[in-house]
Amino acid sequence: MAAQYAISGATAKGITSSVEQAVTEGGLAPGDALPPVRRLADDLGVSAGTVATAYKELRQRGIVVTRGRGGTVVAQAPAVGTRRPPKVPQGVRDLAGGHPDPALLPVLLPPDRVDPVSGSHRGSPRRAGLEELAREWFARDGVPDDRVTFAHGALDCMARLLSVELKPGDAVAVEDPGFHHLLDLVPALGLRMVPVAVDDEGIRPDALRGALRAGVRALVCSPRGQNPVGGCFSEARRDALLEVLGGFPDVLVVEDDHNADIAGPPAYSLAAGGLARWAQVRTVSKHLSVDLRWAALACDATTLARHEGRMLLTSGWVSHVLQETVERTMADPAARALVGRAERAYTERRLALIGELARRGIPARGASGMNVWVPVRDESAVVNGLRSRGWWVAAGSRFRIATPTAVRITTAMLEVADTAPLASDFAAVLGESEATYGG
């Protein structure tokens, strides 16, 4: 509790640093209350305005939230903390990491030689061949390809888009449950998260409408392979969401199609629906290599200009050595064939586990992608119970904001033959936890 940690500081900056250090070191935990402004001001011998300024800075950075009469408390996912997964124990099958199967990743084709660069690549930041491949990649699924650029991965791209579009304190609609790194990123940028519920068809129109009416200025969502639930837009769902978004033309819609080539179902993209402000981000880390930190971005003219302007001021461009490696690998027929095999294998493995769980009366979700989301009553009991049987799965708390408890199982490296033993162990663990917690 806050009473166990003495906040210090004679300036707003000092108070802010003291609270941040306490959160980082565990002296203040999520949900702990900070002292009222006037009380802390009296304790520290500073003005109430100084404390109010410090609290405002903490709110803008996502470290604390204000709950009206409930006062100021440490955020449930403070921006100085992370949702990083725990270390995988020895001797267990890792089904928690969300990683692709290395056996289904192609051998990379880097350039044979790298000639010295005269000056810099700021004048020509994108290799023409890779830009053309990226345009074809987007056009294949109906995404407008007339404005395309590159970034250092999906999160790098989304961080830049949100930081140039929004100011601290603005609200962003995010999927709930959603991608845990994004749920860390948004408050780290000083932005507020507004959770939007998802189902097997992605974000729900009613939940999106509520978030838009609450004043969000941006939406980040996945059209397919949604992490962790696996939802994917149907054509009807896509159209319903576009109808809702039509009343809010100034909201920036960012689609994260991070596993476009291995998600399974076809794409029904919001980006193809004539939005005024939109962007779609695609990466190759799930189907070519986890070490290729490269992303392609298609977007409207305003979004492109803002992204490029900030990029120019920071890294300037994506390494051309990396770009050539991506280009050569994307164009390689053998690599393309292996990606096709990977998509079929991931679909088969995911559906096999869902089917085996269903045969044991356990409902699970996973309409696309590489993960299966299984609702449970007690996440810790299930995670620890499966660990004792040699399986390591992810507790849903890393991905949730307000949605019910569950666990996420990554099926990318789970052979079909192993799905029945896992499902049997899962059923046994559920039986044990129900007996422990009263059925």
Side-chain angles (χ1 to χ4, degrees):
M1 297 297 294
Q4 297 174 316
Y5 181 86
I7 298 173
S8 62
T11 64
K13 182 178 180 180
I15 296 169
T16 300
S17 297
S18 175
V19 173
E20 180 174 346
Q21 181 178 0
V23 174
T24 302
E25 297 177 351
L28 288 171
D32 281 352
L34 272 60
V37 169
R38 292 191 179 277
R39 183 196 304 170
L40 184 57
D42 290 342
D43 291 345
L44 299 179
V46 299
S47 71
T50 298
V51 176
T53 299
Y55 282 15
K56 179 180 179 181
E57 172 69 15
L58 291 165
R59 284 195 302 273
Q60 290 179 338
R61 293 174 54 199
I63 298 174
V64 302
V65 295
T66 299
R67 295 177 174 171
R69 293 184 179 180
T72 299
V73 302
V74 178
Q76 289 302 311
V80 293
T82 72
R83 298 170 185 249
R84 291 176 182 171
K87 186 177 180 180
V88 180
Q90 292 185 346
V92 297
R93 289 277 302 274
D94 181 10
L95 304 179
H99 306 305
D101 186 345
L104 295 172
L105 295 174
V107 174
L108 298 183
L109 300 174
D112 297 327
R113 54 178 288 168
V114 180
D115 294 324
V117 176
S118 176
S120 77
H121 287 303
R122 289 183 184 272
S124 55
R126 295 180 296 280
R127 285 178 54 87
L130 183 56
E131 184 171 352
E132 183 58 33
L133 285 174
R135 292 184 190 279
E136 294 173 359
W137 197 16
F138 286 114
R140 179 192 71 188
D141 295 312
V143 177
D145 65 332
D146 48 334
R147 298 180 184 89
V148 170
T149 190
F150 303 157
H152 301 91
L155 285 171
D156 169 76
C157 186
M158 286 187 280
R160 191 172 296 108
L161 292 174
L162 294 176
S163 64
V164 298
E165 186 72 25
L166 282 66
K167 64 181 185 299
D170 283 345
V172 180
V174 297
E175 297 164 327
D176 182 23
F179 183 37
H180 57 293
H181 290 309
L182 178 68
L183 302 187
D184 281 339
L185 174 64
V186 172
L189 295 174
L191 305 172
R192 293 185 294 111
M193 292 191 295
V194 176
V196 177
V198 299
D199 58 25
D200 289 343
E201 294 183 78
I203 55 175
R204 289 172 21 197
D206 58 331
L208 176 59
R209 184 178 291 106
L212 292 168
R213 288 175 175 171
V216 300
R217 293 197 55 205
L219 162 68
V220 182
C221 62
S222 299
R224 54 185 167 179
Q226 195 272 344
N227 187 0
V229 174
C232 56
F233 293 163
S234 64
E235 185 174 9
R237 174 61 58 87
R238 187 269 314 273
D239 292 345
L241 293 172
L242 286 172
E243 183 177 357
V244 173
L245 289 165
F248 301 86
D250 295 330
V251 171
L252 174 64
V253 177
V254 181
E255 283 191 315
D256 177 13
D257 199 5
H258 61 282
N259 54 12
D261 284 40
I262 53 172
Y268 292 103
S269 170
L270 297 175
L275 296 170
R277 298 299 316 283
W278 65 276
Q280 187 180 99
V281 185
R282 292 189 175 189
T283 62
V284 296
S285 59
K286 297 296 186 186
H287 67 280
L288 294 186
S289 171
V290 296
D291 199 39
L292 291 179
R293 312 312 297 170
W294 173 85
L297 168 69
C299 55
D300 66 87
T302 299
T303 301
L304 178 68
R306 292 176 178 175
H307 177 277
E308 295 291 84
R310 180 62 61 87
M311 185 82 149
L312 184 66
L313 293 173
T314 53
S315 58
W317 68 91
V318 176
S319 162
H320 275 222
V321 176
L322 172 59
Q323 288 191 43
E324 185 171 350
T325 302
V326 174
E327 179 183 343
R328 288 163 59 91
T329 308
M330 283 184 73
D332 178 54
R336 291 188 175 191
L338 185 57
V339 170
R341 282 177 48 202
E343 180 180 28
R344 294 188 293 274
Y346 292 148
T347 298
E348 184 180 27
R349 295 169 186 181
R350 184 184 73 251
L351 295 179
L353 179 60
I354 292 173
E356 292 293 345
L357 290 171
R359 277 187 275 276
R360 292 159 179 81
I362 304 170
R365 301 165 66 181
S368 62
M370 302 192 304
N371 300 301
V372 171
W373 184 251
V374 190
V376 298
R377 183 164 55 178
D378 188 290
E379 294 178 1
S380 295
V382 172
V383 170
N384 291 326
L386 287 174
R387 174 185 177 179
S388 70
R389 288 167 168 78
W391 311 98
W392 186 242
V393 302
S397 56
R398 288 166 48 201
F399 311 92
R400 298 185 292 103
I401 301 175
T403 48
T405 49
V407 295
R408 190 194 74 171
I409 304 174
T410 299
T411 55
M413 288 185 284
L414 184 68
E415 296 291 344
V416 171
D418 294 328
T419 58
L422 172 57
S424 294
D425 285 342
F426 204 113
V429 168
L430 286 183
E432 292 173 359
S433 66
E434 287 179 358
T436 301
Y437 292 97

